Amino acid sequence: TALEPSARLGLHASVQALGDGMMRLSVHSKRLAYAVCVHVPGFIPDDDAFPVEPGGQRTVILRSRRMDSTFSGGTLTALNLDGRVHISPEDKTY
C-alpha cells in the first residue's frame, strides 16, 4: 500500500464533549484510510485500527483515563497515511 499525504486522503477529525469524561470523535476521509489509529493522551478510544471508507465517517467514543483529564489534542495515523493528522482543541464542536 502506497503512503499518501493527508491532503490527498482528506483525513480529518472533530471532537465533541459528551460529559462524564467522554468525548465523541468523528473521523472523516475523502479516500479509503486503512487501519486508522487514534492517539489522544489521557483518553482511551472505544475502537482503534478501523477503516474509513471513501467519503465516509467513523465515530469513536473517547473515555478519559481519569475524571480530571482534559482534551488537549491528539493525532490520527493510518497504514496508508504519510505522517500524522493532528486533532487540536480548536476542532471541538459543541
Side-chain angles (χ1 to χ4, degrees):
T1 302
L3 297 180
E4 299 188 49
S6 62
R8 182 175 167 123
L9 276 183
L11 189 64
H12 65 281
S14 62
V15 293
Q16 178 182 19
L18 298 176
D20 292 331
M22 294 191 302
M23 306 286 287
R24 177 184 295 127
L25 179 72
S26 298
V27 181
H28 306 264
S29 188
K30 288 190 302 190
R31 298 171 54 89
L32 180 61
Y34 298 103
V36 175
C37 291
V38 178
H39 310 274
V40 177
F43 289 83
I44 301 168
D46 71 351
D47 196 0
D48 212 11
F50 52 86
V52 180
E53 298 79 17
Q57 171 186 323
R58 282 297 277 263
T59 300
V60 177
I61 301 299
L62 303 174
R63 299 181 193 287
S64 66
R65 293 181 187 268
R66 298 184 324 257
M67 287 308 292
D68 62 346
S69 292
T70 58
F71 178 79
S72 60
T75 59
L76 299 175
T77 58
L79 288 181
N80 60 329
L81 173 65
D82 184 16
R84 296 175 175 263
V85 171
H86 294 278
I87 310 163
S88 73
E90 289 78 36
D91 297 328
K92 248 177 158 174
T93 58
Y94 295 94

